[in-house]
Amino acid sequence: MMEDMTAPCGDGLINIRVCAIIQKKGRLLMAYSDDADYLYTVGGRVKFGETAGQAIVREVFEETGVKLGIDRLGFIQENYFYGDVPSNKGKLIYEVDYFFYMKVPEDFKPVGMDFKEGDNTEHLCWIDPMTEERQFYPEFFRTELFEPFDGIRHIVTDDR
């Protein structure tokens, strides 16, 4: 079994994560857990031996039950934050996130709106990032997501 690309570094952790931008009719597919009060992108950690592209296709399939292709890489985010789940609570985490725009067919619909992640059940929901009142990550989606651009945007977030 391939290991997640998470490594201890001093008292903290380094993560390499992939994130899916799944848009349909101006809405964005996001995920949430019963034990968190915020939304986050569909995706997960890259496994050792995978490329980021392979990882996002796998993660989207695991969480939606649908195999989507990649349209393009849109953002790379360097992100410092403190963990909030039992396995990393209070630890400083440096995470590198690759955000991929996915090719979403007109008839796209997740197989289910719930999926298992370890012992937890996570849920999918469609949001309008411009009007969503709940906290969601990444926050830069509110300002950057729907403005057309060529290339890849590099975002640095530091919540230390």
Side-chain angles (χ1 to χ4, degrees):
M1 182 171 176
M2 294 188 300
E3 299 274 333
D4 284 347
M5 295 282 279
T6 297
C9 188
D11 292 333
L13 296 170
I14 297 173
N15 283 333
I16 300 176
R17 188 170 186 275
V18 290
C19 309
I21 300 171
I22 300 173
Q23 299 177 84
K24 187 174 174 185
K25 298 180 182 174
R27 295 169 49 119
L28 181 66
L29 189 64
M30 299 290 279
Y32 65 95
S33 172
D34 291 333
D35 59 357
D37 59 352
Y38 55 87
L39 306 172
Y40 44 89
T41 56
V42 170
R45 288 180 187 84
V46 176
K47 294 192 178 296
F48 190 78
E50 284 182 315
T51 65
Q54 291 167 331
I56 195 59
V57 170
R58 174 185 53 77
E59 285 286 347
V60 167
F61 181 73
E62 287 175 2
E63 296 180 15
T64 69
V66 179
K67 189 170 185 179
L68 295 179
I70 296 169
D71 181 22
R72 67 184 183 88
L73 178 62
F75 303 92
I76 296 174
Q77 179 184 32
E78 294 181 76
N79 191 9
Y80 272 105
F81 62 96
Y82 288 97
D84 65 351
V85 296
S87 63
N88 64 26
K89 190 154 187 81
K91 289 185 179 181
L92 182 61
I93 299 172
Y94 173 69
E95 189 169 82
V96 178
D97 301 308
Y98 296 90
F99 290 87
F100 290 92
Y101 285 91
M102 304 305 291
K103 293 180 183 175
V104 183
E106 194 69 31
D107 63 348
F108 170 77
K109 182 179 177 185
V111 169
M113 294 302 282
D114 302 305
F115 61 95
K116 292 293 273 182
E117 186 68 39
D119 294 334
N120 297 326
T121 298
E122 296 186 47
H123 314 278
L124 299 174
C125 64
W126 291 99
I127 67 163
D128 177 342
M130 303 307 287
T131 62
E132 181 62 47
E133 293 183 14
R134 291 175 287 185
Q135 180 69 42
F136 65 85
Y137 296 100
E139 293 179 349
F140 70 80
F141 274 5
R142 290 190 198 273
T143 56
E144 303 286 329
L145 190 60
F146 295 107
E147 292 188 20
F149 64 94
D150 291 326
I152 301 165
R153 288 195 178 152
H154 177 223
I155 308 284
V156 177
T157 307
D158 193 338
D159 291 334
R160 286 182 279 181

